[in-house]
Amino acid sequence: MPRRNDLHRILIIGSGPIIIGQACEFDYSGTQATKALRADGFEVILVNSNPATIMTDPNLADKTYVEPLTRAYVEELIRRERPDALLSTVGGQTGLNLSVELAEAGVLDKYGVELIGAKLDAIKKAEDRLLFKDAMRSIGLETPQSQLVTTVAGGLDFADRIGYPCILRASFTLGGTGGGIAYNKEELVEILERGLDLSPVHEVLIEESVLGWKEYELEVMRDLADNCIIICSIENFDPMGVHTGDSITVAPAQTLSDREYQMMRDGALACLREIGVDTGGSNVQFAINPKDGRMVVIEMNPRVSRSSALASKATGFPIAKIAAKLAVGYRLDEIRNDITRKTPACFEPTIDYVVAKIPKWAFEKFPGADPTLGTQMKSVGEVMAIGRTFKQALWKGIRSLETGRAFGSEKLEKSLITKKLITPTPDRLNYLRFALAAGYTVEEIHDLTAIDPWFLTQMKEVVDFEGELAGTTLIAATREQFRAAKRFGISDVQLAKTWGATEIDVRNRRKELGIKAVFSRVDTCAAEFESFTPYLYSNYDYGDEAEPVDRKKVMILGSGPNRIGQGIEFDYCCCHASFALQEMGVESIMVNCNPETVSTDYDTSDRLYFEPLTLENVLNIVDTEKPDGLIVQFGGQTPLNLALPLKRLGVPIIGTDPSNIDLAEDRKLFGKLLDDLKIPCPENGTATNVEEACAVAGRIGYPVLVRPSYVLGGRAMVIAYDEDMVRQYMREAVSFSQDRPVLIDRFLEDATEVDVDALADGGSDVLIAGIMEHIEEAGVHSGDSSCVLPAQSLSPQTLATIEDYTIRLARALNVIGLMNVQYAIQDGKVYVLEVNPRASRTVPYVSKATGVALPKIAVGLMWGRKLKDYGLATGKLSVPQVFVKSPVFPFNKFHGVDPALGPEMRSTGEVMGVGMNFGEAFLKAQISAGSPLPDKGTIFISVNDRHKQEAVDIGRRFSELGFSLVATRGTANALRAAGLPCKTIFKVNEGRPNAVDLLKGGNIQLAIYTTTGAPAFYDEKAIRRSAVTYRVPCITTMSGARAAADAVAARLRDPIRVWSLQEIHEAKTTVA
Amino acid sequence: MNTAILALEDGTVFEGKSFGAPTERSGEVVFNTALTGYQEVFTDPSYAGQIVILTNPQIGNYGTSSGDNESRGPFIEGLVVREFSPLASNWRSDAAADAFLSRAGVPIVSEIDTRTLVRHLRTRGVMRGVLSTTRSDRAALVETARSIPTMAGLDLASRVTTNERYEWTHGVDSCSPSELTGTPRPREFHVVAYDFGIKHNILRRLVHSGCRVTVVPALTSAEDVLALKPDGIFLSNGPGDPEPLTTQVGNIRRLIGKKPVFGICLGNQLLGLAMGGKTYKLKFGHRGANHPVRNEITKRVEITSHNHGFAVDPDSLNLNEVEITHVNLNDQTLEGFRHRSHPVFCVQYHPEAAPGPHDSHYLFEDFTRLMREAR
Ligand SMILES: Nc1ncnc2c1ncn2[C@@H]1O[C@H](COP(=O)(O)OP(=O)(O)O)[C@@H](O)[C@H]1O
Ligand SMILES: Nc1ncnc2c1ncn2[C@@H]1O[C@H](COP(=O)(O)OP(=O)(O)O)[C@@H](O)[C@H]1O
Ligand SMILES: [Mg+2]
Ligand SMILES: [Mg+2]
């Protein structure tokens, strides 16, 4: 079956904002699919609400819609575009669910759109856990026994039959809420009651536990001719019970004999055929009992998944790209293997290295969240490492994580070992090493963790050798010891730490002894055939296959694992840097270690080094490639941390000078610069002890904002309203020292925050790309507040001032490339909060709103071009419509965490809403962010005294829009005093029925609930929590409430309409 | 650490860590890219006379288990790996890979840059080599490598075949309570299998598909075979160059047309010669478990298990008499053909797998169908 010529226009649905469990991997898959289909002459229409993605780049698809991923908006889009087919399998769970919804609602039939990839019945068979289990049993595959229960009693007697522990999953709850593992009757009752209560259909699935079994995944592809291949086998280091997304995983499977592996392969193929996934990639999860080899199927995903991304990067086999081609009729044997060129894609990749994936968590940002790892995924990102052996890969992976702590300097409690081994948490890996070093035997650790002895033995070998190294010194260490250390994957930093030397001493000594890294290729075939794609990883064997080319080349340092505050936005920038370089005829070399990203696709850059972003690994590549330039300003903080050291070692960093980037971070120097420029910033000071802090705060005047030096994403930043809070903060919250003082700023209350992105060419030209007005007032982290382009409420003078400051700052810092400035405006006065002379989180959003790919131009400027070469000059880009960016939060994954917004960033992703007016754009943004605003019903208002007057205005607007009001006593009085009808309800601690009861009962459609400023009281928190739990949008700032009123008005006023970025920017953006 | 040295005839020398038997062995140095199934590789008689490089860098992890042997014991001359695990972690394992090979006198060299070695052989072609834990004089070892006979022209099959005829009745048994092996067919046919180095899983699969199998030595005459009144005749896999096996080819020629014949690997090459075709040596052979083979009749692609250094030249076959049934999609080499007028067919790859995917088991059913029709 060759290409289907009856299809012409294909709709691809993306996966929306980055959330826990659904990250960049679907930008990777959507982008690959789009590229593949267009290359084949299909017209691709793409929709995704996430502006930070590469896939939503206007020049990638024929039509690109950044619109809400809901039936209403996508139906409107289908009505306009009339696609022939919908590819349902590359947009993650979101894309799949929406496809199903559109199919079941008859939308696809109505407009004659064919579902390709996976058919409706196949998807349902795979997604419905019970249908799936029946299907598996019907073909003789075992699955853990399970039953849906609707009562505690029913649950108890099923549990008695299958025995404890057992796994509980509440039906249709957000991200596994209401599920858990019950080890006894009491826990079962507790979890079950909660689950039944939380499940909208009051249903919980109880399942036989296979905790401690070995967990595996197979990545399978199938074409319309029923040719099936396995792309990759993945073995989980952490046994069943820890979600694959939270497990360290290893490819290929390490502890299966051929007999067992083939049994699993047969099972996976049978599963795919029975479910009826007729084309594309799927993944099947298995568990094997290590005692007798009994195998059960856990689940299958009839679509490209997180593991598919991992498998693609691990083998060099582009699953999403091939899946797309299969969906349009190609057979596997009709598609070529890009890497070998000669051989077809119809084969099973084989690898001659080992791949380890390690997740990255962000619990420190969610105090009160339970860090225990279980059946629900909690990690926010991951790294992948490739080594010649498992040991090398694992140690490389640990190094890629950027824990911020030097390897081995983790604080470990001997007394906690047993506990930390038994209960999996993010630091179990550290405790494994620690336990081995402390003399625990492999058997003992296996008994506590059920981790396969083979993995533990591998770790032990390294830990033992670390012991040997501790016994020698930099000078005494033999060539053999150096060589062994490197082959084990031990970093120069770790050696330096062990020997009390510097990393560079170690590096030099090592090279003296002739121990140098070489690079091997990822080639899908274990070197059986020649490879034509330079997809490389370092190791300490002998043969080097880097084969650097002699031409102008620039290296781009990526942003490493996703984390809160540094995510896909920076991958967007890095990919664009690469595209721009290629357009300029410069060879682009990408360095990154995040398997989810587009930047780690072997065809994104001319050359790809899949390596940790550490000084050591970057220098190894520099030694081999000898690049003409190195770009550090696009990868977020990760490459910036390397900028100065690299510069000192003479690596040619292009763009803004690292010392100027650093200057902007340095309080004193930067303060002086602002004085010289006569640009105001909030009064501030630093303190290294409690008394000093109180003194400084007293001088500045409360409230103040206190934070440690050198932090990102507003880490550990709090607003102190009085001296007690300052004392408490200094006592408990942070560690500080002479060289790391605590920073204290006057907190600008009720100030409007503004983000500015600008381009400067080092000459005199500075282009203001976007002035983004935040919806939430200053005090809510820029990454956590919604913002709008163009600014809505700023006066012409204010805008002029902002432009003037920005231009002067750019010139003063001699910025070449991108710059981001944050301002706060209080009573008409503009203050600078911070300057980041580098790509910021908002670059993709601004690029999409203005229709100008900022990073592309930035790279040109770094490479010596001037703004005028792009027909641009000092001035400001205009935006044709209104664009609102809104954050997305993971609160539904973290029970008991207060969702109130503050200066510490906690959002995982973002969405963009496009409209003709602010209300419409904000409305769409809220829908995309998963907190749609109501069009009727009851609004619950409770605000502190400072906000009473505004609350009245807002209350009035809502009642005019036909909503009824309920409020807590104080607010209610204010509302009534203003003549607004309003019901009074109890606060939680006042009695019942209280606000929580109403939320739970579904009697409230929107909650407006501001903090009193002081650390949230139980009451407030309880209300905001239950709003999250029962999915009632909860607004915690007055400005947010105002915006919500605009949005609701728009919802009642404006029709449902969508625009493609292409049509929005048709009229070529001009410089205003 | 005890070192071992691998010396190649072209003067290339690799040194690594020694496991297995402390000894010196020589042979043709070849590589296998399969990710699983090292024990099946060790014990496949087709590897007689060969030192095997495994490209999977972690070998030994799951130990060995007697149930997984493909013959009476290891046949490889030596093993070359990137990292060897002395620890066996798998519930079925009854002996660590180290002990398993030591007992059979097979040396192992670990810590070798197998990727570089494979790229070397890929470009230069397979060559002779010596694996020694006893000598460290590199020049001398290279000399020895040059002095051993080349594969071409050697009759290795007669060296590994059984001395006398025996009956095989053991079917396929499952490796786990969850393995679905399917119910064995009732015994319906008598198959005489020529042992040129036959793998046990071929015998198991024949039994599983309803055959009683009599295994006979490589040089048994056609007449003696027919005297056993078989319903069908099987030609096994085996080591080395098919061309010197003229007697065997003669016997096969006399069997074509008398009874249904099924050949695998060497059996496929011998049939090729018997039908007037020619065989040739591949530059570095096919050894792995991921080769795509297209069935030209059904157009379905099978992922197949391979182990051969020689192949039949399709252009040498008389296509009026022979029909090509299977082609390798990686390099278009001939993977299977059948006689147009007689119930005779064969494949170059290994449908019995072990190690490798099970995609091609159907060929054993094809064989029994032919025997049924021939009744
Ligand atoms: N019956 C079970 N016993 C023990 N652990 C389980 C069981 N079922 C699932 N798990 C664990 O929970 C994780 C998530 O389950 P899964 O069915 O894969 O849901 P998801 O759709 O979130 O991937 C698995 O990776 C596994 O570690
Ligand atoms: N002086 C201030 N007054 C009010 N809000 C502030 C002040 N300084 C910082 N903020 C708030 O804290 C957030 C984080 O501060 P910022 O300096 O941007 O840290 P980061 O480097 O983590 O972005 C800002 O986005 C802003 O909302
Ligand atoms: Mg899963
Ligand atoms: Mg900031």
Side-chain angles (χ1 to χ4, degrees):
Chain A
M1 269 145 280
R3 178 188 194 278
R4 282 181 60 178
N5 295 325
D6 57 325
L7 302 178
H8 307 288
R9 293 161 72 78
I10 298 175
L11 172 62
I12 292 181
I13 300 181
S15 67
I18 303 297
I19 54 176
I20 289 177
Q22 208 164 259
C24 316
E25 60 266 20
F26 300 109
D27 189 21
Y28 138 84
S29 57
T31 303
Q32 267 198 5
T34 307
K35 280 204 232 154
L37 293 177
R38 272 193 97 188
D40 215 329
F42 291 95
E43 253 185 275
V44 175
I45 299 140
L46 188 127
V47 58
N48 190 355
S49 55
N50 183 347
T53 50
I54 302 290
M55 69 161 93
T56 52
D57 231 49
N59 49 20
L60 199 83
D62 295 272
K63 294 282 185 67
T64 310
Y65 287 83
V66 179
E67 295 288 351
L69 296 175
T70 63
R71 180 183 147 188
Y73 286 92
V74 175
E75 172 163 10
E76 169 59 11
L77 179 163
I78 291 175
R79 192 191 59 76
R80 293 182 96 211
E81 297 290 348
R82 300 303 174 106
D84 304 312
L86 163 56
L87 178 56
S88 59
T89 51
V90 294
Q93 198 61 45
T94 307
L96 198 69
N97 292 350
L98 182 52
S99 306
V100 169
E101 192 183 342
L102 290 163
E104 290 187 321
V107 175
L108 299 187
D109 294 342
K110 179 172 173 198
Y111 295 99
V113 184
E114 178 184 346
L115 200 56
I116 56 173
K119 295 273 179 268
L120 189 56
D121 48 350
I123 298 173
K124 296 178 84 173
K125 224 169 167 185
E127 294 289 312
D128 179 315
R129 290 195 181 273
L130 292 181
L131 287 180
F132 178 73
K133 284 167 183 289
D134 295 342
M136 291 305 99
R137 296 211 183 85
S138 73
I139 52 171
L141 288 169
E142 296 179 67
T143 63
Q145 298 178 51
S146 61
Q147 192 173 78
L148 266 183
V149 303
T150 51
T151 65
V152 173
L156 280 169
D157 67 52
F158 181 66
D160 288 339
R161 265 186 284 132
I162 58 169
Y164 293 88
C166 48
I167 310 294
L168 287 81
R169 290 198 186 89
S171 306
F172 305 103
T173 58
L174 286 178
T177 325
I181 303 175
Y183 288 88
N184 54 49
K185 256 196 170 55
E186 293 64 35
E187 285 181 8
L188 184 89
V189 173
E190 183 195 327
I191 302 174
L192 193 50
E193 275 171 345
R194 196 177 79 233
L196 290 170
D197 176 44
L198 289 174
S199 163
V201 295
H202 305 295
E203 213 175 61
V204 172
L205 182 80
I206 302 189
E207 188 166 271
E208 168 196 10
S209 150
V210 292
L211 289 169
W213 289 27
K214 307 203 282 183
E215 182 164 8
Y216 296 89
E217 285 184 274
L218 293 190
E219 290 301 316
V220 194
M221 297 211 82
R222 183 177 184 215
D223 68 16
L224 287 164
D226 191 32
N227 295 316
C228 291
I229 55 174
I230 306 287
I231 304 307
C232 187
S233 64
I234 302 174
E235 178 163 357
N236 288 15
F237 175 96
D238 303 275
M240 288 294 287
V242 176
H243 194 286
T244 7
D246 279 351
S247 298
I248 294 169
T249 62
V250 182
Q254 293 295 327
T255 64
L256 290 180
S257 67
D258 185 65
R259 295 293 304 277
E260 294 166 301
Y261 172 70
Q262 298 305 338
M263 158 175 80
M264 197 176 280
R265 184 182 183 277
D266 293 343
L269 301 190
C271 172
L272 220 65
R273 292 183 166 122
E274 171 59 25
I275 296 303
V277 177
D278 47 12
T279 73
S282 295
N283 99 312
V284 190
Q285 272 168 266
F286 295 93
I288 286 197
N289 185 338
K291 292 188 183 57
D292 63 2
R294 187 186 150 207
M295 178 177 84
V296 297
V297 183
I298 298 304
E299 70 153 357
M300 85 100 73
N301 294 305
R303 54 172 173 88
V304 177
S305 67
R306 185 185 325 106
S307 320
S308 322
L310 186 67
S312 301
K313 307 305 165 96
T315 58
F317 188 101
I319 293 177
K321 172 183 181 171
I322 306 291
K325 284 177 149 292
L326 298 182
V328 293
Y330 285 99
R331 293 167 37 138
L332 280 160
D333 53 322
E334 292 170 328
I335 305 168
R336 182 190 72 163
N337 175 342
D338 296 341
I339 288 184
T340 61
R341 292 195 186 157
K342 289 181 197 59
T343 60
C346 191
F347 77 117
E348 298 194 343
T350 186
I351 64 186
D352 56 4
Y353 46 84
V354 178
V355 171
K357 174 217 78 176
I358 311 180
K360 189 174 173 69
W361 294 270
F363 287 104
E364 71 280 5
K365 283 181 163 286
F366 300 95
D370 172 13
T372 307
L373 304 179
T375 59
Q376 175 203 339
M377 180 171 167
K378 292 176 177 173
S379 61
V380 295
E382 62 189 23
V383 297
M384 181 180 107
I386 311 176
R388 285 287 275 139
T389 63
F390 169 70
K391 294 187 278 282
Q392 199 177 57
L394 184 65
W395 254 248
K396 233 180 169 182
I398 294 172
R399 200 186 322 161
S400 308
L401 281 171
E402 297 176 56
T403 55
R405 285 196 234 80
F407 194 85
S409 72
E410 305 85 0
K411 282 197 204 57
L412 299 155
E413 276 286 340
K414 202 163 177 129
S415 59
L416 291 180
I417 292 182
T418 318
K419 179 170 167 297
K420 290 283 191 177
L421 290 183
I422 294 173
T423 315
T425 59
D427 48 8
R428 177 153 84 171
L429 185 57
N430 287 334
Y431 272 89
L432 285 168
R433 283 173 31 231
F434 189 50
L436 287 163
Y440 279 65
T441 66
V442 165
E443 294 65 29
E444 287 166 333
I445 298 178
H446 171 69
D447 292 341
L448 295 171
T449 60
I451 295 171
D452 193 285
W454 187 83
F455 291 121
L456 296 172
T457 309
Q458 298 299 306
M459 288 188 76
K460 187 178 188 325
E461 284 178 29
V462 186
V463 171
D464 291 350
F465 186 70
E466 286 170 347
E468 179 186 328
L469 289 173
T472 174
T473 66
L474 176 56
I475 307 309
T478 65
R479 184 173 186 285
E480 271 322 302
Q481 283 173 318
F482 264 96
R483 187 156 168 277
K486 299 317 281 183
R487 282 164 77 88
F488 277 160
I490 295 173
S491 69
D492 287 354
V493 175
Q494 190 186 341
L495 291 173
K497 195 171 166 305
T498 314
W499 295 330
T502 72
E503 174 177 7
I504 296 303
D505 294 342
V506 172
R507 182 180 184 81
N508 295 338
R509 175 69 182 146
R510 173 163 68 73
K511 286 165 95 177
E512 244 169 62
L513 294 170
I515 309 294
K516 294 199 188 65
V518 296
F519 295 92
S520 299
R521 295 194 175 205
V522 170
D523 63 5
T524 72
C525 62
E528 183 173 7
F529 306 101
E530 189 183 352
S531 141
F532 294 90
T533 47
Y535 173 6
L536 301 142
Y537 68 95
S538 72
N539 60 74
Y540 285 83
D541 280 30
Y542 301 96
D544 188 286
E545 299 171 78
E547 295 159 30
V549 205
D550 180 20
R551 52 182 282 209
K552 287 278 171 223
K553 53 175 90 163
V554 170
M555 241 168 97
I556 305 159
L557 302 190
S559 60
N562 275 14
R563 68 211 84 169
I564 287 172
Q566 182 173 316
I568 189 172
E569 307 84 3
F570 296 101
D571 200 62
Y572 169 91
C573 294
C574 292
C575 290
H576 268 290
S578 179
F579 302 150
L581 289 166
Q582 290 167 17
E583 282 172 23
M584 293 189 294
V586 178
E587 182 176 66
S588 68
I589 302 169
M590 184 69 66
V591 186
N592 199 1
C593 58
N594 181 345
E596 306 167 342
T597 57
V598 175
S599 64
T600 50
D601 262 355
Y602 63 74
D603 58 358
T604 292
S605 303
D606 293 314
R607 302 169 70 75
L608 168 64
Y609 285 84
F610 207 106
E611 287 285 283
L613 289 151
T614 65
L615 188 63
E616 171 181 354
N617 295 80
V618 172
L619 284 176
N620 292 343
I621 303 168
V622 169
D623 288 351
T624 306
E625 289 284 351
K626 309 197 171 40
D628 301 279
L630 188 96
I631 295 179
V632 296
Q633 65 171 242
F634 287 164
Q637 201 57 37
T638 301
L640 287 180
N641 296 339
L642 303 176
L644 280 176
L646 285 168
K647 186 189 174 193
R648 277 194 221 98
L649 294 162
V651 179
I653 290 171
I654 60 174
T656 312
D657 190 305
S659 48
N660 288 354
I661 298 178
D662 204 51
L663 185 154
E665 301 269 320
D666 182 310
R667 273 288 162 135
K668 290 197 169 43
L669 297 177
F670 187 60
K672 178 164 184 331
L673 178 75
L674 290 178
D675 289 345
D676 299 348
L677 296 172
K678 309 225 167 355
I679 295 176
C681 67
E683 242 183 299
N684 61 73
T686 65
T688 56
N689 64 55
V690 184
E691 292 318 317
E692 209 177 334
C694 297
V696 174
R699 170 171 59 75
I700 293 174
Y702 290 95
V704 292
L705 188 81
V706 284
R707 67 171 108 176
S709 326
Y710 308 99
V711 298
L712 238 198
R715 182 82 201 83
M717 211 179 204
V718 307
I719 302 164
Y721 286 82
D722 53 34
E723 185 164 323
D724 297 350
M725 283 181 71
V726 173
R727 290 185 178 283
Q728 185 194 1
Y729 181 83
M730 296 297 282
R731 253 189 276 102
E732 299 159 10
V734 288
S735 59
F736 44 84
S737 65
Q738 281 304 331
D739 51 345
R740 290 182 163 261
V742 168
L743 312 179
I744 305 172
D745 303 63
R746 194 176 111 244
F747 178 71
L748 303 172
E749 280 189 279
D750 300 317
T752 306
E753 184 166 0
V754 171
D755 248 88
V756 177
D757 281 319
L759 283 164
D761 60 15
S764 60
D765 280 335
V766 179
L767 176 69
I768 307 226
I771 298 182
M772 295 154 265
E773 178 178 353
H774 289 205
I775 309 306
E776 287 77 10
E777 51 264 24
V780 172
H781 193 280
S782 48
D784 278 2
S785 48
S786 295
C787 61
V788 56
L789 273 169
Q792 299 293 300
S793 74
L794 302 183
S795 71
Q797 314 82 295
T798 306
L799 287 170
T801 314
I802 290 175
E803 287 168 36
D804 168 57
Y805 288 177
T806 308
I807 291 170
R808 282 161 53 211
L809 282 164
R811 289 179 183 153
L813 290 167
N814 189 19
V815 170
I816 304 169
L818 282 157
M819 172 174 84
N820 167 268
V821 188
Q822 286 166 31
Y823 296 99
I825 296 115
Q826 189 185 43
D827 313 326
K829 183 168 180 198
V830 178
Y831 300 83
V832 171
L833 295 186
E834 70 163 355
V835 176
N836 298 311
R838 54 166 169 101
S840 74
R841 218 171 278 127
T842 45
V843 164
Y845 159 63
V846 176
S847 299
K848 268 144 213 189
T850 57
V852 178
L854 304 183
K856 270 203 170 138
I857 299 177
V859 170
L861 304 180
M862 296 180 190
W863 193 241
R865 296 192 178 174
K866 296 289 170 203
L867 278 165
K868 54 175 159 4
D869 300 330
Y870 293 89
L872 299 165
T874 298
K876 195 170 126 205
L877 291 177
S878 64
V879 286
Q881 289 187 21
V882 182
F883 301 84
V884 169
K885 165 182 164 285
S886 288
V888 175
F889 300 94
F891 298 125
N892 57 35
K893 301 265 187 200
F894 300 120
H895 313 290
V897 170
D898 186 350
L901 302 179
E904 167 143 17
M905 179 172 172
R906 296 193 293 177
S907 58
T908 53
E910 70 205 50
V911 295
M912 180 169 90
V914 187
M916 280 314 211
N917 52 65
F918 171 74
E920 183 181 24
F922 187 74
L923 172 75
K924 284 186 178 180
Q926 293 315 100
I927 294 172
S928 297
S931 43
L933 294 161
D935 55 1
K936 56 176 170 331
T938 304
I939 311 279
F940 166 61
I941 309 181
S942 176
V943 300
N944 58 53
D945 296 339
R946 282 186 290 128
H947 297 138
K948 290 282 189 297
Q949 188 39 50
E950 271 186 279
V952 169
D953 306 341
I954 288 160
R956 179 168 292 110
R957 291 191 58 190
F958 275 107
S959 60
E960 280 163 12
L961 289 166
F963 287 81
S964 44
L965 309 174
V966 301
T968 46
R969 204 179 314 99
T971 314
N973 294 340
L975 291 167
R976 276 199 223 85
L980 291 168
C982 162
K983 244 177 52 269
T984 308
I985 55 164
F986 289 126
K987 293 192 172 173
V988 176
N989 53 11
E990 290 173 343
R992 313 188 68 161
N994 56 39
V996 170
D997 299 317
L998 266 69
L999 282 164
K1000 207 170 151 180
N1003 306 327
I1004 291 176
Q1005 284 62 48
L1006 174 67
I1008 296 168
Y1009 202 96
T1010 63
T1011 37
T1012 49
F1017 295 119
Y1018 165 74
D1019 193 49
E1020 301 187 333
K1021 189 174 153 188
I1023 291 179
R1024 285 187 297 260
R1025 258 326 299 182
S1026 25
V1028 171
T1029 311
Y1030 301 103
R1031 300 199 199 77
V1032 177
C1034 178
I1035 297 170
T1036 61
T1037 64
M1038 294 321 289
S1039 41
R1042 255 180 269 115
D1046 294 345
V1048 170
R1051 173 165 180 182
L1052 297 167
R1053 179 186 64 232
D1054 302 329
I1056 286 195
R1057 45 189 174 186
V1058 297
W1059 299 271
S1060 73
L1061 292 181
Q1062 287 82 359
E1063 71 193 286
I1064 290 173
H1065 296 299
E1066 227 148 48
K1068 166 137 183 35
T1069 322
T1070 49
V1071 181
Chain B
M1 100 176 175
N2 307 346
T3 63
I5 292 177
L6 172 70
L8 302 181
E9 64 179 284
D10 72 349
T12 326
V13 175
F14 290 78
E15 183 172 327
K17 188 171 173 197
S18 145
F19 287 94
T23 172
E24 177 172 312
R25 299 277 286 268
S26 59
E28 185 179 60
V29 183
V30 299
F31 62 90
N32 181 305
T33 64
L35 283 172
T36 54
Y38 54 76
Q39 183 184 351
E40 290 85 339
V41 169
F42 299 163
T43 55
D44 175 351
S46 301
Y47 282 101
Q50 294 176 322
I51 293 172
V52 178
I53 306 160
L54 295 175
T55 62
N56 178 352
Q58 311 269 202
I59 298 301
N61 309 8
Y62 55 81
T64 64
S65 85
S66 43
D68 293 353
N69 285 342
E70 279 306 303
S71 66
R72 65 188 100 96
F75 273 85
I76 59 172
E77 297 293 333
L79 177 66
V80 181
V81 299
R82 172 60 179 78
E83 183 162 279
F84 189 79
S85 168
L87 170 96
S89 172
N90 186 291
W91 67 281
R92 289 177 67 236
S93 171
D94 47 31
D98 191 18
F100 184 77
L101 289 180
S102 306
R103 267 194 255 104
V106 179
I108 305 169
V109 60
S110 168
E111 299 291 311
I112 294 292
D113 181 355
T114 46
R115 183 171 172 88
T116 299
L117 179 50
V118 166
R119 285 167 55 232
H120 186 71
L121 297 177
R122 182 187 79 206
T123 40
R124 310 282 170 79
V126 292
M127 50 185 93
R128 293 162 294 171
V130 181
L131 174 47
S132 176
T133 66
T134 53
R135 285 194 293 166
S136 55
D137 178 342
R138 298 170 168 232
L141 287 166
V142 170
E143 269 321 303
T144 320
R146 293 188 177 133
S147 68
I148 64 169
T150 61
M151 272 273 161
L154 280 189
D155 172 357
L156 290 167
S158 320
R159 221 190 279 167
V160 301
T161 185
T162 171
N163 301 330
E164 61 278 330
R165 159 193 334 163
Y166 64 92
E167 297 279 306
W168 181 279
T169 53
H170 195 107
V172 175
D173 38 30
S174 50
C175 71
S176 140
S178 312
E179 188 178 23
L180 307 165
T181 48
T183 40
R185 295 281 165 82
R187 296 270 168 83
E188 227 189 299
F189 308 102
H190 177 215
V191 168
V192 171
Y194 269 107
D195 175 12
F196 305 123
I198 196 161
K199 282 170 68 185
H200 284 172
N201 212 48
I202 292 177
L203 298 169
R204 297 187 201 108
R205 295 243 56 112
L206 285 169
V207 170
H208 190 77
S209 338
C211 306
R212 175 171 65 85
V213 188
T214 308
V215 184
V216 300
L219 290 167
T220 312
S221 73
E223 295 63 28
D224 292 356
V225 166
L226 291 170
L228 294 167
K229 309 223 166 345
D231 300 294
I233 293 149
F234 179 80
L235 309 173
S236 88
N237 62 298
D241 184 354
E243 252 165 31
L245 312 186
T246 45
T247 328
Q248 291 91 328
V249 171
N251 286 324
I252 293 168
R253 206 175 278 121
R254 295 207 296 286
L255 289 166
I256 295 177
K258 305 277 193 324
K259 293 285 172 192
V261 180
F262 177 25
I264 289 179
C265 195
L266 183 65
N268 160 98
Q269 294 159 8
L270 295 175
L271 267 170
L273 293 169
M275 296 191 198
K278 291 197 169 18
T279 57
Y280 65 101
K281 194 172 202 303
L282 296 161
K283 189 175 181 191
F284 52 86
H286 290 178
R287 291 174 193 84
N290 69 337
H291 282 250
V293 165
R294 184 166 57 222
N295 179 320
E296 293 302 320
I297 314 298
T298 64
K299 293 297 173 200
R300 284 280 292 277
V301 179
E302 303 155 29
I303 302 302
T304 59
S305 181
H306 283 232
N307 170 21
H308 60 105
F310 294 82
V312 175
D313 174 2
D315 303 336
S316 70
L317 293 170
N318 168 359
L319 294 180
N320 303 324
E321 195 180 58
V322 180
E323 179 182 16
I324 292 182
T325 56
H326 295 79
V327 172
N328 187 309
L329 296 180
N330 282 347
D331 59 7
Q332 272 58 49
T333 49
L334 177 65
E335 292 292 348
F337 57 90
R338 68 184 178 192
H339 200 292
R340 289 189 185 272
S341 37
H342 298 305
V344 173
F345 75 110
C346 56
V347 287
Q348 177 62 74
Y349 58 93
H350 289 266
E352 81 282 6
H358 298 166
D359 297 7
S360 315
H361 281 164
Y362 71 93
L363 288 166
F364 291 88
E365 302 305 318
D366 288 0
F367 186 35
T368 49
R369 194 177 326 107
L370 284 184
M371 292 191 279
R372 194 172 293 110
E373 288 163 6
R375 283 221 169 123

